[in-house]
Amino acid sequence: MTDNNIQGRDTGWRKALREEMTAKERTAIPRVEMPMLDGAYRVSCNDEVNQGLSFEQAVLEATRCLDCPTPTCIEGCPVGIQIPDFIKNIQRGNLPAAAKILKATSALPAVCGRVCPQEKQCESRCIYNKMKKAPVAIGYLERFAADEEIARGVDINTNKTKTNGIRVAVAGSGPAGLSFAGEMARRGFEVDVFEALHEIGGVLKYGIPEFRLPNSIVDAELASLRNAGVRFHTDTIIGKTLSYDDLLNQGFKGIFVASGAGLPKFMGIPGENYCGVLSSNEYLTRINLMGAGRKGFDTPAPVGRCVAVVGGGNTAMDSVRTARRMGAERAIIIYRRSETEMPARREEIEHARQEGVEFMTLANPIEYLADEKGRVRAVRVQRMELGEPDASGRRRPVPIQGAIDEIEIDLAIVSVGVSPNPLIPDNIDGLDVTDRGTIAVDENLCSSIPAIFAGGDIVRGGATVILAMGDGRHAAASMAEKLLADAKC
Amino acid sequence: MNRIIEKEYFSENVVKLVVEAPEVARARKAGHFVIVRCGEGGERIPLTIADADASKGTVTLVVQAVGVSTRKICALGVGDTLTDLVGPLGRATDICLHNGTVVCCGGGVGVAPLLPIIKAMKEAGNRVISVLAARNKDLIILEDQVREYSDEVIIMTDDGSAGRQGLVTAGVEEVIQRENVAEVVAIGPAIMMKFVALLTKKYNIPTMVSLNTIMVDGTGMCGACRVKVGGKTRFVCVDGPEFDAHQVDFDEMMMRMKAYN
């Protein structure tokens, strides 16, 4: 999409904005601080921690952007958002234009503005880094523009694209599936999304807690996709409820499999099946999706006074922070490497610390102990030290001989990764699967069955929301090209 | 939303529901289960499919009121709806023609998921002997349907109010001693399956059990349903629900089923 009035570095208004201030003046402005709730207060509720920028803060932060002739930030974005275009529209106060630019490449900007690891992507490529200064807060600005769009209640997707009559199906309504659905609807395809659970949104609903991503934000993005003509079906498992042949018989010409991460990994240590030892998937699903522990919800909540969360990723941080909100007096991250190696976002680690989470690094659980009823009562941890770098480039943790501690706990949440969901690979004949259990795809994300494309965690094994969305976008481009070529024959 | 079109009380706490679910009715096979949710704040609970009619687009569920959710479901009437029903889940039963008798034993409401297996075993050409067990006469369910597909039916009750007095294992052992039994299928309370497994292990007869553990999503995502089978942790929802009875760690399974009690 190019719109001469809102996009392009050579438009008159953009030139005028650049001439308003020198680079020196811009770089002298300090990076905006995200307003947030106080740590002690936020463990008492599920309110969103980051409160979002004010209009004035957003405009000032947008002013920091130097509007580089070759903006490297875009290269850091998995979906290639036209970053300076939207930022400069914020600076001049044209928020609908900023939102329109975001929506042109991302189906879920309000989600991405919150959960993308911008510090490793767009912001890591910002020119400010070369000047040893904090990069432009691209993520905060993205969220600001998207939230303003939602608040205005005007949806740019209300102008539906004229349908081309070609039906496509999506298995899974997480980030990859939603991004694909948005892209295909925009191109005029008739899109039906099938979700196994009773709620649309995948990991955005069952996994990421509301204090990081409120459900109302996800729902607003879903409403926008519905406006664009996307149809959603809950309680439907592709490969089970509807077979591949059923979909073909219903007239679907292409299928995008975005069924996500499945089986939680466990460590295979003694006592891991005791009551009170559970996966982060189970813990977060019970609380986020099923409302466990809240009035009017029947699902029982796993509650502990002293909760150990094993792992150092974002899911581990989500779990340990949820445990604090569920009333845990002690909530401890147990991680086998040091904090430097933790894969979680720095922001999440900092937020967890502000909320009173304890960090026990260089420690690896080796056994759980239980009471006479089989309920976990302690975890034994092996203390570690860092040795030589391993295949991942991170220093390998090695056990310190004899250094074993026993920590009293009454709940343990295992957050050491997931394997791909086996339901679709197991139930569609002829679909090639890698030895890791992921669906094998070519560079166009096409599987061994020409009508089936796949992306997100079912292909990657376990990645981020934005990489999944990038796959959805990529698969949509290649499937659309193929189906339109087929239609001409 | 799935509408209930038929309801029958098997006993005070055991209800048969015929529910509209056309896609599931068409896709399901013996051994499959569904996840059901009742009410917007309802739990997701697994229920095995007792029967299905693809032409009418219905599945039959047999529910025993034991907890919050099953009580809610049992209280629903004809015309009411289940908020959600998703499936068919799990792996279907491996049905084949055996060189010898197939003994199908069901305890309590376990007879409901057993019925489609009895049917399929019979249709595959097997000699099928069914052993139904319950505390008393009133808790024996689906006897007529089981008789229709069985060469012989043995009823066992704790109090002797129907059939013979004694446990399910007595009925199974009687058959084992008098004829060549090729496979035993046991579905019922964990403790019953455990003792059937111990019995058939003694005689070295392949035995299959269907496990009904705690589940949340039922699609392989949460791991709540994990059990140890042959020393390895397996997920009942995607690896099961049927397993080699001689490999299942029933004691651990029974402990885990009390996780939220």
Side-chain angles (χ1 to χ4, degrees):
Chain A
M1 182 182 70
T2 47
D3 184 323
N4 291 336
N5 287 321
I6 65 170
Q7 270 187 293
R9 198 171 175 275
D10 297 329
T11 48
W13 63 270
R14 276 282 272 280
K15 284 183 187 155
L17 281 185
R18 279 200 297 279
E19 283 159 13
E20 259 176 26
M21 209 185 260
T22 64
K24 198 171 177 187
E25 285 168 323
R26 287 179 203 278
T27 55
I29 305 169
R31 177 180 157 116
V32 68
E33 298 258 345
M34 174 58 83
M36 64 171 110
L37 296 176
D38 175 64
Y41 167 77
R42 61 197 199 225
V43 296
S44 72
C45 62
N46 220 12
D47 292 357
E48 191 178 13
V49 172
N50 285 347
Q51 292 287 291
L53 304 184
S54 68
F55 180 78
E56 291 72 24
Q57 283 177 308
V59 170
L60 186 61
E61 185 63 20
T63 309
R64 291 181 72 220
C65 171
L66 297 180
D67 203 2
C68 305
T70 43
T72 44
C73 51
I74 299 176
E75 294 162 17
C77 176
V79 298
I81 289 176
Q82 296 299 311
I83 294 166
D85 282 350
F86 96 80
I87 288 184
K88 288 301 153 188
N89 273 294
I90 292 178
Q91 190 188 334
R92 69 164 172 160
N94 190 343
L95 302 184
K100 195 171 178 185
I101 291 159
L102 287 171
K103 285 253 166 148
T105 44
S106 166
L108 315 166
V111 172
C112 293
R114 287 171 166 81
V115 304
C116 272
Q118 291 99 9
E119 65 281 3
K120 290 180 187 158
Q121 298 174 350
C122 52
E123 292 182 18
S124 75
R125 306 289 191 90
C126 177
I127 189 79
Y128 273 70
N129 294 297
K130 291 204 175 121
M131 301 181 275
K132 305 276 180 245
K133 285 178 187 281
V136 174
I138 302 169
Y140 295 169
L141 290 173
E142 178 184 24
R143 171 187 160 159
F144 172 77
D147 282 4
E148 288 296 314
E149 175 76 8
I150 291 170
R152 270 195 307 281
V154 193
D155 193 324
I156 54 169
N157 277 337
T158 40
N159 299 322
K160 274 189 219 169
T161 315
K162 192 173 173 294
T163 169
N164 63 19
I166 304 173
R167 299 189 74 190
V168 293
V170 187
S173 68
L178 294 178
S179 157
F180 175 88
E183 287 293 323
M184 291 304 265
R186 201 163 58 78
R187 289 176 164 85
F189 289 83
E190 292 186 21
V191 188
D192 286 79
V193 179
F194 298 95
E195 165 59 47
L197 294 174
H198 59 271
E199 280 244 21
I200 301 297
V203 72
L204 307 176
K205 282 281 176 70
Y206 75 73
I208 303 175
E210 289 218 62
F211 57 80
R212 208 149 72 81
L213 177 64
N215 285 344
S216 59
I217 296 294
V218 182
D219 289 336
E221 307 261 40
L222 294 175
S224 168
L225 287 170
R226 283 195 181 93
N227 282 339
V230 177
R231 284 186 292 265
F232 291 101
H233 311 267
T234 54
D235 295 332
T236 311
I237 305 174
I238 300 305
K240 287 287 199 181
T241 318
L242 293 175
S243 67
Y244 173 54
D245 287 340
D246 288 337
L247 292 176
L248 295 184
N249 292 336
Q250 288 186 19
F252 290 103
K253 300 292 182 210
I255 298 154
F256 180 57
V257 177
S259 50
L263 306 167
K265 285 185 186 157
F266 287 90
M267 295 172 65
I269 59 175
E272 218 167 14
N273 285 352
Y274 284 136
C275 297
V277 182
L278 55 154
S279 73
S280 49
N281 269 6
E282 177 180 355
Y283 185 64
L284 293 172
T285 301
R286 281 180 182 273
I287 290 159
N288 297 335
L289 180 74
M290 305 308 297
R294 271 183 280 155
K295 204 168 175 278
F297 293 86
D298 298 337
T299 301
V303 193
R305 274 184 44 236
C306 184
V307 181
V309 175
V310 182
N314 287 320
T315 312
M317 295 306 144
D318 286 344
S319 302
V320 79
R321 297 172 67 195
T322 298
R324 282 287 287 146
R325 285 161 174 80
M326 295 296 286
E329 288 162 24
R330 281 187 84 186
I332 314 164
I333 284 281
I334 300 179
Y335 182 57
R336 65 198 181 110
R337 302 176 192 255
S338 78
E339 196 174 311
T340 328
E341 287 86 19
M342 274 192 189
R345 297 184 68 190
R346 293 297 112 188
E347 185 183 35
E348 307 308 327
I349 296 170
E350 279 319 305
H351 284 179
R353 193 167 269 125
Q354 290 158 7
E355 290 163 11
V357 168
E358 297 172 43
F359 286 79
M360 181 180 289
T361 53
L362 291 167
N364 199 29
I366 50 170
E367 183 181 8
Y368 295 98
L369 307 173
D371 64 16
E372 68 286 352
K373 287 182 180 159
R375 288 208 56 88
V376 68
R377 63 166 181 82
V379 56
R380 297 181 73 224
V381 297
Q382 165 72 60
R383 297 292 180 164
M384 316 290 278
E385 60 190 350
L386 292 179
E388 294 300 308
D390 62 13
S392 73
R394 299 178 296 181
R395 292 177 65 193
R396 184 197 304 274
V398 288
I400 302 171
Q401 277 296 316
I404 293 172
D405 289 321
E406 190 175 307
I407 306 152
E408 277 185 37
I409 56 166
D410 50 7
L411 193 66
I413 298 161
V414 183
S415 187
V416 296
V418 289
S419 321
N421 193 311
L423 278 183
I424 290 180
D426 283 358
N427 287 289
I428 296 181
D429 290 339
L431 191 63
D432 283 356
V433 175
T434 67
D435 48 14
R436 290 190 306 147
T438 54
I439 295 178
V441 291
D442 65 15
E443 67 282 4
N444 295 319
L445 300 183
C446 184
S447 76
S448 54
I449 298 175
I452 300 182
F453 289 62
D457 279 0
I458 193 64
V459 165
R460 295 174 177 273
T464 61
V465 167
I466 190 67
L467 285 171
M469 288 186 54
D471 285 353
R473 192 171 151 74
H474 178 182
S478 35
M479 191 195 285
E481 190 182 339
K482 175 180 178 291
L483 293 181
L484 291 172
D486 290 353
K488 276 191 194 128
C489 294
Chain B
M1 299 280 254
N2 302 75
R3 207 159 56 92
I4 294 167
I5 58 167
E6 207 184 308
K7 180 180 182 179
E8 184 186 334
Y9 280 92
F10 283 161
S11 68
E12 197 189 333
N13 289 321
V14 179
V15 167
K16 175 183 121 172
L17 298 174
V18 179
V19 185
E20 279 179 349
E23 288 161 345
V24 180
R26 206 155 34 89
R28 73 95 215 189
K29 291 194 175 83
H32 280 146
F33 68 95
V34 290
I35 290 267
V36 167
R37 202 169 70 104
C38 181
E40 277 310 322
E43 277 182 278
R44 294 171 65 93
I45 59 160
L47 292 172
T48 27
I49 303 170
D51 200 1
D53 187 328
S55 63
K56 288 186 189 148
T58 59
V59 294
T60 303
L61 307 173
V62 174
V63 191
Q64 182 171 26
V66 286
V68 178
S69 301
T70 45
R71 275 197 290 272
K72 273 188 184 174
I73 293 168
C74 287
L76 295 174
V78 171
D80 290 342
T81 53
L82 290 168
T83 314
D84 296 278
L85 184 151
V86 60
L89 293 159
R91 292 176 186 272
T93 311
D94 187 13
I95 303 284
C96 60
L97 177 58
H98 289 277
N99 186 17
T101 305
V102 176
V103 175
C104 294
C105 47
V109 286
V111 177
L114 189 65
L115 180 61
I117 298 172
I118 295 173
K119 240 179 178 173
M121 285 291 187
K122 188 69 214 165
E123 279 160 6
N126 289 293
R127 171 173 160 80
V128 178
I129 297 182
S130 298
V131 183
L132 308 187
R135 283 206 310 280
N136 60 52
K137 179 170 170 280
D138 296 338
L139 299 176
I140 295 285
I141 62 167
L142 296 165
E143 186 184 335
D144 292 346
Q145 289 91 326
V146 169
R147 280 194 191 284
E148 198 183 327
Y149 298 98
S150 307
D151 293 276
E152 185 186 337
V153 176
I154 298 170
I155 308 275
M156 304 294 300
T157 50
D158 291 3
D159 63 359
S161 56
R164 287 177 18 218
Q165 186 173 9
L167 298 175
V168 67
T169 40
V172 177
E173 191 156 25
E174 176 198 310
V175 184
I176 292 173
Q177 283 174 348
R178 75 165 131 94
E179 56 190 281
N180 170 31
V181 175
E183 186 181 16
V184 173
V185 180
I187 309 182
I191 188 81
M192 168 240 164
M193 293 191 282
K194 175 183 166 173
F195 280 98
V196 171
L198 286 172
L199 172 76
T200 59
K201 180 102 206 255
K202 209 167 70 184
Y203 291 95
N204 209 13
I205 299 169
T207 301
M208 192 273 289
V209 286
S210 177
L211 307 182
N212 188 4
T213 50
I214 294 175
M215 290 185 191
V216 184
D217 64 292
T219 63
M221 200 177 77
C222 80
C225 64
R226 64 195 194 276
V227 288
K228 225 179 269 147
V229 181
K232 279 199 187 118
T233 293
R234 308 289 299 276
F235 289 179
V236 173
C237 66
V238 288
D239 298 325
E242 294 172 1
F243 293 101
D244 175 353
H246 300 152
Q247 302 294 320
V248 174
D249 184 340
F250 284 104
D251 293 335
E252 184 187 273
M253 175 186 157
M254 287 187 270
M255 173 197 85
R256 286 186 56 77
M257 287 181 75
K258 291 187 200 127
Y260 291 94
N261 287 4

